[in-house]
Amino acid sequence: MLRIGRIDYANCTPLFMQLEKTLSGETTTIVHGVPASLNAKLANGEIDICISSSIEFSRHADEYAILPGHCIGSVGPVKSVLFFTTRPAEELAGQQLLVTSESATSVVLLQILLAKRWGGLSGCSLQTTSLPWQEALQQSPGLLLIGDRALQAASGSAGVYCYDLGQEWMGLTGLPFVYALWLINRTSSAGKEGALTQFSQLLEQARERIIPDAELLAAEAPEAAWVGVQPLADYWRNAITYQLDEAHLAGLDRFYQLAAELGLITSRPQLKFFPS
């Protein structure tokens, strides 16, 4: 049985809407969760493969392999990794900032941008929160949200600054950003190479249908109830990228390089791909 982790965010919906129609329930099972919980399950071998925070590979590089060709990324604005502030980001030195507990990658990205993009800010501290965004910004001048919570907050965020971290990363590096990789636990997936190869093929088929079928998929997606069919289709088509190409790999390597330079990870990992 191949155990697959599914992040319950709108950016993964078009993939899994299609995968769940083609995967066999006799040979695969899908485990739902937010990035942080699925990262832990992957590390513990409770699931075999997951669309997992890209920072997780740097923390388990000897234990994981990357499924080649696939990711969740952006080339510029991503619309769902947003830093809300009550003052310009350049004026946040020394402040305690609030961050989501759902994604370690976006928190590291924020730390890089604080250090490298917004005037080398110093003395900022980060604290996780699950407060509604309006309450959080009453307690802190800055709040990082990702995924569906970011999309929902953006629609009602008049009066505050809103920084799209995909756009800020592009401004800093000129490269795409990779938020999540399909990571494979080498130990728990041993003997499941055939199933992983078949899954990769189905995933590629699903990925290739997102752009031409975006409106059809969005019309059936639960997120359309609060995003709207056309905005959801536009989000998949224009904000999110699903192919891990050479430009995305360069962005990923640059992310690891800067994270290592700032001491946010122990070292810049060597990328290892399935099969290996």
Side-chain angles (χ1 to χ4, degrees):
M1 180 72 71
L2 185 67
R3 300 164 298 172
I4 304 163
R6 172 179 176 170
I7 297 173
D8 291 321
Y9 286 165
N11 56 20
C12 293
T13 295
L15 293 173
F16 278 96
M17 284 179 68
Q18 299 176 82
L19 286 170
E20 289 176 344
K21 294 177 181 178
T22 56
L23 292 170
S24 169
E26 296 180 359
T27 57
T28 60
T29 184
I30 293 176
V31 178
H32 295 252
V34 298
S37 67
L38 291 175
N39 290 344
K41 289 181 184 296
L42 187 67
N44 294 333
E46 296 176 52
I47 54 178
D48 304 308
I49 182 171
C50 182
I51 183 65
S52 188
S53 303
S54 57
I55 200 67
E56 281 299 295
F57 180 76
S58 70
R59 297 170 175 170
H60 301 273
D62 293 334
E63 304 162 38
Y64 290 169
I66 300 168
L67 190 70
H70 304 282
C71 72
I72 299 291
S74 71
V75 182
V78 66
K79 296 186 180 180
S80 54
V81 181
L82 303 177
F83 184 46
F84 299 93
T85 67
T86 58
R87 66 187 75 165
E90 294 82 359
E91 299 177 9
L92 293 173
Q95 298 296 309
Q96 182 180 77
L97 309 174
L98 299 178
V99 299
T100 176
S101 61
E102 296 179 4
S103 172
T105 293
S106 299
V107 172
V108 173
L109 174 57
L110 176 63
Q111 290 174 291
I112 290 172
L113 293 171
L114 288 169
K116 301 288 188 178
R117 176 70 169 164
W118 295 315
L121 297 182
S122 61
C124 291
S125 60
L126 304 183
Q127 179 179 330
T128 59
T129 184
S130 58
L131 287 173
W133 70 268
Q134 299 96 330
E135 293 182 33
L137 286 177
Q138 292 175 359
Q139 297 189 9
S140 169
L143 170 68
L144 172 67
L145 292 177
I146 68 165
D148 294 359
R149 291 185 66 202
L151 288 169
Q152 291 166 340
S155 65
S157 60
V160 300
Y161 297 88
C162 179
Y163 296 89
D164 186 307
L165 297 200
Q167 184 173 14
E168 296 298 325
W169 172 260
M170 176 63 75
L172 176 66
T173 67
L175 294 167
F177 192 79
V178 176
Y179 305 90
L181 296 161
W182 284 94
L183 298 180
I184 300 166
N185 183 310
R186 294 170 181 265
T187 300
S188 70
S189 67
K192 303 178 183 181
E193 291 78 10
L196 287 167
T197 298
Q198 182 182 37
F199 175 75
S200 181
Q201 293 168 348
L202 294 173
L203 185 61
E204 182 175 357
Q205 292 171 13
R207 184 191 71 206
E208 294 303 310
R209 297 310 308 168
I210 291 174
I211 289 179
D213 293 348
E215 282 83 7
L216 293 174
L217 292 165
E220 299 180 7
E223 293 89 350
W226 52 269
V227 179
V229 171
Q230 194 59 54
L232 186 59
D234 291 343
Y235 171 63
W236 294 335
R237 185 178 281 134
N238 301 320
I240 302 298
T241 51
Y242 294 93
Q243 186 166 7
L244 186 63
D245 58 17
E246 290 301 318
H248 284 72
L249 286 170
L252 180 65
D253 187 61
R254 181 69 170 145
F255 172 58
Y256 289 146
Q257 177 190 354
L258 290 173
E261 287 178 6
L262 294 172
L264 303 173
I265 58 176
T266 56
S267 63
R268 181 181 179 182
Q270 179 182 355
L271 302 182
K272 300 175 183 177
F273 297 91
F274 168 86
S276 58

